[in-house]
Amino acid sequence: EWTWDNIIEMIDRYVNQTFSTHALTLLAACYLPGVLAAYIQLARGTKYSEFPGYLDRWLKMRKYLGLIMLFSASCHACLYFLRMVDFTPNEREWNEILLADFGVFGFCLVVILGITSLPSVSRALSWREFRGIQSWLGWSCLTCCSLHCLFNGAEHDWKIFKLMCFWPGYELLPLLLPALTFALKIPLLVPWVDWRLTRIRQGKVFK
């Protein structure tokens, strides 16, 4: 029935869920090519060899993916805040409190990343400052947004059990690409791997 309550539920369940899934997937897609490029540089021992064509194009379009992600995240945040107007603090479950906190903090980081991606702002920053903001804040943003999605699907214990059994519900499906990105990023944080990668990016050639 086309009642107002059903329309609101449809917008919340389908439209808002689509915006959130799209934003988180694009955010992970902004950092996954950098991780793949790091593995290629480690394998070749140099930064002077060319990347495969698909990866080179992927690396160059990350800024545009980030801007599209900012649009989807903004739509998701607006629809979410409109939904939370009718909730009182006593009616919110523990997972709703945590997902709201991580969501707000993650969205703030998304806005900062979007502002620094603007040409007028990026030109005012040095390469070290721009890279530091996009790297540290970007990974922090991906972590917060992933936790936001995780707590959204943690309403019942059986959903966490599904996640542990690699059979997530529809709320947790957007975590697949971020989980892959984190799984590939963690080995790069090992000290000797990070040292070797840093030396390669500084111009050192390992045969």
Side-chain angles (χ1 to χ4, degrees), residues 97-118:
I97 297 175
L98 290 176
L99 75 90
D101 293 339
F102 282 111
V104 170
F105 189 63
F107 180 69
C108 292
L109 294 178
V110 166
V111 173
I112 295 175
L113 292 173
I115 293 175
T116 55
S117 298
L118 296 175

Side-chain angles (χ1 to χ4, degrees), residues 20 30 38 42 61 84 98 119 131 148 156 161 168 175 180 195:
S20 63
C30 290
L42 286 172
M61 66 185 302
M84 293 304 295
L98 290 176
R131 185 176 180 274
H148 170 72
H156 302 291
F161 180 75
L175 287 174
L180 175 62
W195 173 83

Side-chain angles (χ1 to χ4, degrees), residues 69-126:
M69 179 272 300
L70 176 60
F71 172 76
S72 297
S74 301
C75 294
H76 169 65
C78 292
L79 292 175
Y80 180 79
F81 284 132
L82 290 176
R83 189 191 73 170
M84 293 304 295
V85 170
D86 297 332
F87 286 87
T88 60
N90 295 330
E91 295 176 346
R92 298 172 65 186
E93 300 291 338
W94 64 272
N95 66 300
E96 292 182 338
I97 297 175
L98 290 176
L99 75 90
D101 293 339
F102 282 111
V104 170
F105 189 63
F107 180 69
C108 292
L109 294 178
V110 166
V111 173
I112 295 175
L113 292 173
I115 293 175
T116 55
S117 298
L118 296 175
S120 59
V121 179
S122 60
R123 285 195 297 265
L125 300 174
S126 64

Side-chain angles (χ1 to χ4, degrees), residues 153-173:
E155 184 177 358
H156 302 291
D157 293 337
W158 64 271
K159 292 182 179 179
I160 296 297
F161 180 75
K162 277 187 176 183
L163 177 65
M164 297 175 63
C165 293
F166 303 98
W167 190 261
Y170 73 93
E171 302 97 337
L172 299 175
L173 282 177

Side-chain angles (χ1 to χ4, degrees), residues 187-206:
L188 299 177
L189 300 179
V190 177
W192 70 269
V193 177
D194 181 69
W195 173 83
R196 183 182 178 91
L197 182 61
T198 302
R199 294 294 302 276
I200 289 174
R201 290 176 173 175
Q202 290 174 349
K204 176 72 175 180
V205 177
F206 293 91

